Amino acid sequence: MKNVRSAKEIEIQIKTSMGEIPPDLVLKGGHIVNTLTGEIYEGDVAIKDNRIVRTGDISDIYTTFSDLKTINCTDSYLLPGLIDSHLHTESTLMTPTNFTKVALPLGTTTVAVDPHEIGNVLGRSEERRVGKECRSRWSPYH
């Protein structure tokens, strides 16, 4: 997954949000969790090129485009990936790979890892091994 979008990609996503281009996918009828305000409201989520382009009432998109790929999310809660901004993975007593297996299903998609204890206890070679494991599993460029 690349991190930088071109002007054309942004334009397509804006036009999709405005209902001029169909989304690739619609998550229909979920409970949308706004992690900024704490609100939970009913609505749909429109996605284009793996990015959320619109949430809430998208009835105009349904009217304009009849053949949309949808996933029924009734009784589901929809929220952005959670970020753990300070984590010592060694304190979990798990390898980065096993931590990922536990954290992802619970909604944590991003962590800022501070692995200093690995170096303190096991040395620089183990620090390098864990760094290599993290890059192979979590890198946005693989």
Side-chain angles (χ1 to χ4, degrees), residues 29-111:
H31 305 285
I32 298 171
V33 178
N34 183 329
T35 57
L36 184 62
T37 66
E39 296 171 283
I40 299 175
Y41 53 92
E42 303 298 314
D44 301 332
V45 177
I47 299 170
K48 184 69 171 181
D49 298 327
N50 293 318
R51 297 215 183 235
I52 295 172
V53 294
R54 188 161 155 194
T55 63
D57 178 12
I58 63 167
S59 56
D60 59 309
I61 291 176
Y62 291 123
T63 302
T64 306
F65 306 103
S66 59
D67 191 27
L68 294 172
K69 180 178 177 183
T70 62
I71 296 175
N72 182 353
C73 292
T74 304
D75 298 327
S76 297
Y77 287 84
L78 308 174
L79 61 152
L82 303 174
I83 299 170
D84 187 330
S85 62
H86 186 107
L87 176 75
H88 297 272
T89 50
E90 68 278 6
S91 297
T92 69
L93 303 178
M94 291 186 263
T95 65
T97 300
N98 286 335
F99 175 79
T100 303
K101 291 176 183 177
V102 173
L104 277 174
L106 298 174
T108 301
T109 61
T110 305
V111 294

